[in-house]
Amino acid sequence: MYKAKTFKLLIVHIILLLTANITTTYAQTNNSEKLKETINENYDQFTQFIKDNKPAKLAATLYTEDAKFYPPNGMMVQGTEGVTKAFQGMIGSGIVIEPVAQEVEIFGNHAYEYGIGTVYNNEGKKIRKERYVCIWKNVDGEWKIYRDIVQGVE
């Protein structure tokens, strides 16, 4: 009788743990999907800042102050000043970038994002697609890019 009660109690605990784990996983997935939507909305701004020739606004709005950006075929730049200069160069060369988040996972105060960016010339002709990975950081309730690594051609 004692073993049967212990076994039933063990089964109840296992069911409760599994239910809690499923609920947590669902909540995390749901939050990741919401963040993916937010990131893609931010990327609409990102592209508009490029089209409007506003690299400083792009860097200040979307990147953390201590951001690191690794552009394709370029040297790593740091901080919003470095990000501004990097995008100034890209804008000066006549390109427009439209990133789209494909996959987002939240890990506490940080999130990982994998995406594909389409690069166009200033006449709207598609030049190439690039893969990238960003680490986002929640800064005072706003998600900003903390690390941005562009791999290159998809």
Side-chain angles (χ1 to χ4, degrees):
M1 176 123 162
Y2 176 73
K3 286 183 181 183
K5 282 185 179 180
T6 303
F7 182 72
K8 285 180 184 177
L9 190 57
L10 177 65
I11 295 298
V12 168
H13 279 96
I14 289 172
I15 291 170
L16 287 173
L17 286 172
L18 288 173
T19 303
N21 189 28
I22 290 168
T23 303
T24 302
T25 300
Y26 173 77
Q28 235 178 349
T29 300
N30 195 29
N31 287 338
S32 292
E33 283 301 313
K34 285 180 185 176
L35 180 57
K36 182 178 172 183
E37 289 175 22
T38 299
I39 287 171
N40 282 323
E41 289 168 8
N42 286 344
Y43 283 147
D44 291 340
Q45 276 188 302
F46 176 100
T47 300
Q48 194 59 52
F49 289 141
I50 291 173
K51 288 178 178 178
D52 294 343
N53 194 15
K54 295 184 177 178
K57 184 85 171 161
L58 181 153
T61 303
L62 299 174
Y63 285 80
T64 63
E65 290 178 8
D66 59 345
K68 290 186 181 177
F69 175 44
Y70 301 82
N73 304 320
M75 299 294 290
M76 184 268 299
V77 296
Q78 286 185 228
T80 51
E81 187 178 318
V83 172
T84 298
K85 287 179 182 175
F87 280 103
Q88 261 176 335
M90 289 183 219
I91 292 168
S93 70
I95 64 168
V96 175
I97 306 163
E98 291 183 357
V100 178
Q102 304 295 309
E103 180 180 306
V104 174
E105 288 292 328
I106 300 172
F107 298 96
N109 205 34
H110 291 80
Y112 143 88
E113 175 219 351
Y114 162 75
I116 298 172
T118 305
V119 180
Y120 298 91
N121 66 16
N122 53 8
E123 286 126 27
K125 182 181 176 193
K126 180 178 157 184
I127 298 171
R128 66 182 174 274
K129 288 193 174 202
E130 296 179 333
R131 292 179 297 228
Y132 66 89
V133 174
C134 285
I135 298 172
W136 292 74
K137 186 176 182 180
N138 192 317
V139 179
D140 299 326
E142 285 187 65
W143 287 96
K144 293 191 170 213
I145 299 169
Y146 176 60
R147 299 290 184 261
D148 186 355
I149 306 162
V150 181
Q151 184 180 20
V153 179
E154 176 190 45

